[in-house]
Amino acid sequence: MLALLFSAAVVTQAEEADTEHATDVDTEPAEEEVQSFDTFSPEERATIASSEEKHEFKAETHRLMDILINSLYSNREIFIRELVSNAADALDKLRFLSLTEEGLLEEGEEMDIKISFDKDLKTITITDGGVGMTKDDLVQNLGTIAKSGTSDFLSASAKGADSTNLIGQFGVGFYSVYLIADKVTVVSKHANDDQYIWESSADSSFTISKDPRGDTLGRGTSIILHVKEDAEEFLDETLLTALVTRYSQFINFPISLRTMKEVSREVELEPEEMEAESEGEKEENEEEEDDDVEVGEEEGEEGDDAPKTKTITETVEDWKVLNEAKSIWTKNPKEVTDEEYEDFYKTLSKGQGAPLDKIHFVAEGEITFRAILYIPKVADPALYDKYYEESDGLKLYVRRVLISDSFDNFLPRYLNFVKGIVDSDDLPLNVSRETLAQSRVLKVMGKKITRKVLELLRKIADRAEVDKEDEEEADGEEADEEKEAPAESDYEAFWKQYSKSIKMGVMDDTKNKAKLTKLLRYKSSKSNGKWTSFEDYVDRMPEDQNKIYYLTCQDMSQCTANPVLEKFNKKGIEVIYMDDAVDEYCSQHIQEFDGVEPVNAMRESAKLTESVAFKEYSALEDTQELIAWFKKTLGSKISKVLVSNKLTTSPAACTAPEYGWTGNMERIMRAQAMGSEKTIETQTPSIVFEFNPYHPIINEINARRQANEDDEALADMANILFDSASIMAGYNMMEPEVFAKRIYKVVSLGLEIDPEAPVVEEEPSVEEEVEEEVEEEVEEAEEATEAEEATEAEATEAEATEAQE
């Protein structure tokens, strides 16, 4: 009989698939088009139709059950989610039907789901007080695979107003029980039928019988799982609590787990115990009388007639509610208090403090869903260590049942710090309900969530800007008064924790790059140690400035000490400091902001306005000869020599070619664990050497060059000048040992010492020689004395031996 039901189910599904396919097509193809793809003529088709035989698909029941059990679900713990979901559906059906059927649900009647386990019997029992199943329901719903009672119920109620939120639709969730059980017993009681028992061992048959115990449930269903030997770990209170909390903590109905606990209580003593206690008291009184100690009865002390009691410990049954968290995202945001939002966040984050901010919204359109998203105040310490792993910050629910809590492409990786809940009533799922049936829908949801998160960050940033303007106004009004340091804004707190995430977004998310660039914050040469944005920078730009200047470096001190900033500071041109390693990559993805091009001040192309005198000096023949001499002297270490218009007090500086590495970028590349030094050396473009034409050192070098271009000391000075400038720029020193020798030579000349003077070791004095001779004589005398004593001892021992003989 079951095989026929399986066959009918397969045929029905095939017919429904054909019907669905037909509805997806807007227009039927013309008859000529159909015939053009058909290899049979109309006459041949008629002949085939007259002689064809019709058969139904058949299914091998045992093989089909094996596929359902071992191939449909990837995680065996999913059984608890499926059974709890079915129980919740049964309760929802009861509540819905009670609206039209009087007496079906009594007022104040408890509607809950109870879970219990027995380690001795190796069973897990899940009981609900829902609508229950009749005998026919048991045959149809449990005896026919892919036959969903929930689907039928929704179809029947679709004609009227339906307020139910039922998740079951495929009719296969029940069979997940066989992931951990080798036998299942279902006891069910419907209001219109007696209580029946359905049993099966995952083979090709099942049994149904009337319950000889009568009506023990009153109404509802109890599913008893006889656990396999290899699944006994599920017979554990901690594990069951964790699974229910993970998958079903937001189910509308209370889910209680049966536990056993020890309690203490007072009980009256038995007559024998009271008699023994009385005898003991008499003995104590006699001993006290012997000691001549008077004992008076204290005020308030109970008399002899008071009942005698003792404390005993008992193991009693207790039901622990597992889903106390409320699904506040289903409410109107105006109805949810800040305290509720904070408590809900603590549930998600396992007890962390208050979030930095939140957003609660309903998205409608191609897919409708509700969401509550939080930005944690403190970043996970391993946030960037697991940057390319699946994100586990968002949990996806369908009708308050967890579908997934880890995603690969749901949200952009740079937003993996966001935590929250996303719930939809009409999300298309696959049969196992573990993943989405259509990745395109997931992408649509991801885009909407991304947009909402960026809007939230923009609002936080705007609040910070308003607060900063208010602070500046207050500073102007109360300049003479001492004030406390301003409190850190929410966006400053966010930026300290998640700045790398926004920068990674600028690099990865081309569609939202403009929004993300507005969220960037840096310190600059004019921000007085405070964070500033590209928008603020552009607003402060002079009219004649046509570029945004920034500087990448290892840390803030290196930024401020870089000599290329000298002329920028003198002219009052603001430079943004980028001291994060990610900035080297991020800055390359910002081609323009508000129509202005950003330029790295370390680049050769970051040139300032040149005066007429500077242009005339650069064009002099003598200057060109000096440039040629520097090129010859420095050799392959440089790619170009320029007369710099960036320096004021420093004699020289090293900058990067237009498409080469800056010193900071070279440092980052050398720090890569898998990098090869030899490969880096060959790939590193040569440095640009810039000199200050007005500096005394350069003028003196030029004068000595004119006197003698082959002066070796002059060449050493030029190399030391280059090495010093490259170190200031953050580049790696190519020949440190040569640099050290040159420094020693310069120090020697500065001390008026011959650099080639030999190093003479100091000879020992006469007194030291005499002392060494005396020590040697003493040692020789001691050795001789020891030898004589040893000889005399041997002679004495020999004489004694002869005398004994």
Side-chain angles (χ1 to χ4, degrees), residues 232-426:
E232 292 182 6
E233 69 268 18
F234 290 99
L235 298 170
D236 180 73
E237 177 185 341
T238 303
L239 181 56
L240 288 174
T241 300
L243 293 179
V244 173
T245 303
R246 180 186 180 191
Y247 290 107
S248 307
Q249 65 174 326
F250 299 113
I251 291 291
N252 279 338
F253 306 99
I255 304 173
S256 301
L257 177 65
R258 180 177 175 268
T259 60
M260 306 302 291
K261 68 177 183 179
E262 294 184 348
V263 296
S264 299
R265 65 187 184 92
E266 297 290 329
V267 296
E268 292 187 10
L269 294 176
E270 298 293 334
E272 297 81 2
E273 295 175 327
M274 293 180 64
E275 184 177 348
E277 184 176 337
S278 298
E279 292 178 357
E281 290 178 353
K282 288 180 180 179
E283 293 177 359
E284 289 179 2
N285 292 334
E286 291 175 356
E287 291 176 359
E288 291 174 355
E289 290 175 359
D290 294 339
D291 294 338
D292 296 330
V293 177
E294 294 183 2
V295 179
E297 188 175 312
E298 296 183 2
E299 184 179 354
E301 186 176 339
E302 295 182 356
D304 294 337
D305 295 336
K308 302 294 185 179
T309 61
K310 66 176 180 178
T311 303
I312 63 171
T313 301
E314 293 181 332
T315 301
V316 298
E317 177 184 290
D318 185 37
W319 290 92
K320 178 175 66 175
V321 178
L322 305 180
N323 60 332
E324 293 181 336
K326 304 301 180 184
S327 53
I328 63 173
W329 67 83
T330 59
K331 298 182 180 180
N332 188 318
K334 297 179 181 179
E335 300 174 356
V336 185
T337 64
D338 291 339
E339 184 179 357
E340 287 178 314
Y341 280 125
E342 187 172 333
D343 291 342
F344 186 73
Y345 174 72
K346 290 178 180 179
T347 301
L348 289 178
S349 60
K350 304 296 186 294
Q352 291 185 4
L356 182 68
D357 214 324
K358 67 183 183 307
I359 184 170
H360 182 185
F361 64 93
V362 179
E364 297 179 344
E366 183 177 354
I367 184 76
T368 301
F369 63 91
R370 296 174 177 269
I372 294 181
L373 308 176
Y374 293 94
I375 298 176
K377 188 171 291 185
V378 179
D380 183 352
L383 178 64
Y384 300 110
D385 293 336
K386 55 184 181 181
Y387 184 79
Y388 291 100
E389 298 178 6
E390 288 186 347
S391 174
D392 58 357
L394 286 185
K395 299 180 184 296
L396 179 62
Y397 286 76
V398 173
R399 304 177 187 96
R400 296 174 300 284
V401 176
L402 179 68
I403 298 301
S404 179
D405 56 2
S406 60
F407 300 94
D408 190 18
N409 295 316
F410 190 25
L411 274 185
R413 286 193 178 97
Y414 66 89
L415 293 180
N416 59 358
F417 58 86
V418 176
K419 295 185 180 296
I421 293 287
V422 179
D423 189 9
S424 175
D425 289 347
D426 54 357

Side-chain angles (χ1 to χ4, degrees), residues 202-219:
D203 51 19
S204 58
S205 63
F206 63 89
T207 62
I208 292 183
S209 60
K210 192 172 181 179
D211 194 336
R213 301 170 301 174
D215 182 4
T216 59
L217 294 176
R219 184 192 61 249

Side-chain angles (χ1 to χ4, degrees), residues 28-69:
E28 292 292 334
E31 186 177 353
E32 294 79 15
E33 294 178 356
V34 175
Q35 290 181 355
S36 65
F37 293 101
D38 199 343
T39 57
F40 301 102
S41 65
E43 294 78 11
E44 290 171 336
R45 274 290 175 198
T47 304
I48 292 173
S50 63
S51 60
E52 66 183 2
E53 297 179 0
K54 188 173 184 179
H55 296 272
E56 292 183 347
F57 289 106
K58 298 184 184 296
E60 185 180 345
T61 307
H62 185 74
R63 177 60 179 154
L64 185 58
M65 291 295 292
D66 181 69
I67 292 173
L68 284 173
I69 297 168

Side-chain angles (χ1 to χ4, degrees), residues 546-550 568 597-610 640 642 645-646 655-660 688 690:
N546 57 6
K547 291 183 179 179
I548 297 173
Y549 294 101
Y550 65 90
F568 288 94
E597 177 190 2
V599 178
N600 193 337
M602 282 296 295
R603 295 285 178 195
E604 170 194 348
S605 59
K607 295 181 179 180
L608 299 175
T609 305
E610 299 174 349
K640 188 182 294 187
L642 297 175
N645 69 343
K646 302 175 185 175
T655 56
E658 188 60 27
Y659 300 103
V688 175
E690 299 188 16

